[in-house]
Structure formats: structure tokens, C-alpha cells
Amino acid sequence: MKIVFMGTPEFAVPALQQLLDHHEVVAVCTQPDRPAGRGHKLQMSPVKALALEAGVEVLQPENLKKKEIRDYLAQLDADIFVVAAYGIILPKAVLDMPPLGCINIHASLLPKYRGASPIHAAIKNGDAVTGITIMYMDVGIDTGDMIMKRELVIGPDERVQSLHDRMAVLGGECIIEALAQLGAGTAGRIPQDDTEATYAPMIQKTDGLIHWDWPAKRIINLTRAFDPWPGPYTVYSGQVLKIWQVEEAENSYIEEAAPGTVLAADPIQGLLVRTGSGIVRILELQAPGGKRMSAKDYLRGREIGVGELLR
């Protein structure tokens, strides 16, 4: 099967590798090189790196609106376009171009978590199960008919990077299975139930703010979901503290205290904070300009006052 692959980040790499191993990838579309790192040097996407290594032509348009890029895609005469976290909207003229259509590898069990951040949303909301959906693309955002879904159990303490990596591998496996069904003419076309749809929008830096009036478990899930980016954080004495890892602690404090109140802060007891329901022990944090470190190491060199508020 002749395929044009469209993808950009690490999540798309296992799928592209599977397609390179099992099909003919005639071209890869990925986002233009972007400045990255402290030096703001141009950096190619992970998908581009793999495509160049495999000797596949790479296209990097800013968008797919121009006639020139559409004409070029058409003359490639691909059977199907496969999309995985491309980050650029496909206009209807492109969606209608290949004979078998455009199909997408989406990192949730649709119609749950349509949108840009389904992996983060699943962890943030404390889900026990997520999965991959292979779907036909249409002009909506992740609204097309589904070909197949495969579930994946989320570990009780699993963090977003681990889940992301496992989801990426599963996505690569699923796309090969879906293409086999399409080639055999046995692929399903299951409409989504829009009444059950939820949305996972693009993540903003401010999404990492910890709300101490939340229950302890919800705060724990937020730290799992937003490590490494945008980073879960709080404010203490006017400075931003990254709170990388927390756990539930035994609630042995009888006195009432407002959510965010520091209940203990020493290398022996650790750093205990009241939440809207329960107490959490901060295990790992980071001061502005500093390194990630255990709370006990942090407290050996810095002071956080008992009774003070994290906001």
C-alpha cells in the first residue's frame, strides 16, 4: 500500500517505523523545523529525523492550504494518508484526495478526549483505562467514524511520559492492523456517539497550577499528568515552586487548617501540606533556577515555614 505519512512528535515515530517496515511510504509531511532549547537553534522533528534516515522524501509546509502543496500531494498517487499528531489541519480538499481516505491514530478511546491532549487528560482525570482509536478523518476535530479501538491499562502511579511511550507503540501496532483490514475490505466504519464526547484542549502553562483546595488524589493526578511539561507548580513567598511528585500522607493532624497550609517542613517528617480533602507529602520539588531534588534535600538547605500557605 502506498502511503503518505503525516506526523511530527515522538508519539508518531513508532507508527512511521511500522509503516516503513510493512508498506511503501512515498513521502512524509511534518511541521517545519522550529527553534528549540536555550540556544534557540532550529531543530527537526523526530518524524523528520526518522524519515531522512530511511531515505523518504520529507515535506514541511507551514500549512496545506496552498495549491502547490496540494498538487504535489496528489501527484504522489498514494492510496491513503496516515496521520499521527501532525499538528496541522487537513483541509477537505486534502481529506478527499487519496482513494482510501485519510485515517488518524488518536490517543484515546473516542469519543472520549477528542482534541490535542488526550494522554494528559486521562491521567489528570484519574482514569484506569485509555487506548488507541484508528479513525477516518473528516472536517471536525476527531469526529470521524472509527475503524478500531484498543484498550490500554494505566498504572496506578504511572506518569504521562511512560503512558505516552506505551501509547505510541500501541498506535504503531494498531495502524498496521487497521491497514490490513482496509486492504482486505473488512474494515469497520463505526460512527461516534457525539452525546458521549469530551474534549482535551491544548495544554497551557497555567494548567500546571496546583489548587490546594482540591482533594489529595486530584492533586497527585495533576502532578502525574504535567511532568515534565508544563510542570505542576505552586507559589510560595512570591516565587514559583515546581512540585514534581507528591503522595497521600496519613492524616494525623487534628487541628483545622486552610488548604495549602504547610503542616510540617523538615528533613525528618518531610514536607506535608493540607489539601481540600486529606494531606499530601511533597516528595520532589524544584526552586526557581534550581534542580529537581527530593523534598528532604531541599529542606536541608532552604526553609519553608510551618503554618505558611502555598498558593
Side-chain angles (χ1 to χ4, degrees):
M1 194 175 289
K2 292 176 64 177
I3 295 168
V4 169
F5 182 78
M6 298 180 173
T8 300
E10 285 288 348
F11 176 80
V13 168
L16 175 56
Q17 186 62 67
Q18 288 279 6
L19 294 174
L20 291 167
D21 292 342
H22 295 90
H23 293 277
E24 180 185 358
V25 179
V26 295
V28 165
C29 287
T30 191
Q31 290 198 33
D33 297 354
R34 308 288 189 195
R38 292 184 178 179
H40 297 286
K41 295 181 180 179
L42 285 179
Q43 184 170 319
M44 70 177 68
S45 73
V47 163
K48 178 180 178 179
L50 176 57
L52 291 176
E53 181 183 332
V56 176
E57 180 180 15
V58 175
L59 310 174
Q60 294 183 271
E62 287 286 348
N63 57 61
L64 300 176
K65 297 177 180 178
K66 293 184 178 180
K67 184 177 184 299
E68 293 84 352
I69 185 63
R70 293 183 187 179
D71 288 346
Y72 192 81
L73 288 172
Q75 65 89 27
L76 291 172
D77 198 29
D79 299 303
I80 194 168
F81 293 175
V82 174
V83 180
Y86 182 28
I88 292 177
I89 294 174
L90 275 60
K92 190 174 187 305
V94 174
L95 293 172
D96 294 340
M97 191 177 294
L100 295 178
C102 300
I103 61 174
N104 182 47
I105 305 169
H106 186 74
S108 79
L109 299 172
L110 290 172
K112 192 173 188 179
Y113 303 141
R114 295 172 177 172
S117 60
I119 300 176
H120 298 80
I123 290 184
K124 183 181 70 172
N125 292 332
D127 293 357
V129 176
T130 185
I132 292 289
T133 303
I134 308 296
M135 50 166 287
Y136 296 97
M137 298 180 70
D138 60 19
V139 294
I141 298 176
D142 302 322
T143 55
D145 293 345
M146 301 175 291
I147 298 173
M148 60 179 289
K149 294 197 280 191
R150 291 290 180 270
E151 291 187 352
L152 189 67
V153 173
I154 302 173
D157 298 316
E158 189 163 22
R159 304 178 81 78
V160 73
Q161 189 62 56
S162 167
L163 182 59
H164 167 281
D165 294 348
R166 294 199 298 125
M167 293 278 278
V169 172
L170 181 60
E173 295 170 356
C174 287
I175 193 61
I176 296 303
E177 185 176 344
L179 290 174
Q181 294 177 12
L182 282 165
T186 60
R189 195 172 192 113
I190 307 163
Q192 295 187 43
D193 184 350
D194 291 340
T195 65
E196 295 184 358
T198 58
Y199 188 65
M202 187 173 293
I203 296 169
Q204 308 296 323
K205 285 187 177 180
T206 53
D207 290 337
L209 176 64
I210 294 172
H211 297 265
W212 294 105
D213 57 346
W214 287 355
K217 187 62 178 177
R218 186 175 178 186
I219 292 170
I220 291 169
N221 289 339
L222 182 141
T223 66
R224 294 168 57 216
F226 293 146
D227 177 4
W229 196 88
Y233 69 95
T234 191
V235 177
Y236 173 69
S237 294
Q239 288 192 312
V240 172
L241 288 180
K242 292 290 181 71
I243 307 295
W244 291 113
Q245 192 169 358
V246 299
E247 67 178 7
E248 288 193 80
E250 183 179 345
N251 192 353
S252 59
Y253 289 80
I254 299 174
E255 72 275 10
E256 290 297 321
T261 300
V262 176
L263 301 176
D266 61 70
I268 297 175
Q269 296 182 82
L271 183 53
L272 301 179
V273 182
R274 173 76 68 182
T275 74
S277 176
I279 294 172
V280 295
R281 176 180 288 106
I282 296 175
L283 300 175
E284 186 180 16
L285 70 166
Q286 181 177 1
K291 297 180 179 180
R292 291 174 68 149
M293 62 178 64
S294 72
K296 292 185 177 182
D297 286 343
Y298 183 95
L299 292 169
R300 288 189 178 99
R302 301 172 178 84
E303 185 175 338
I304 294 179
V306 173
E308 295 193 278
L309 282 175
L310 304 181
R311 301 185 184 276

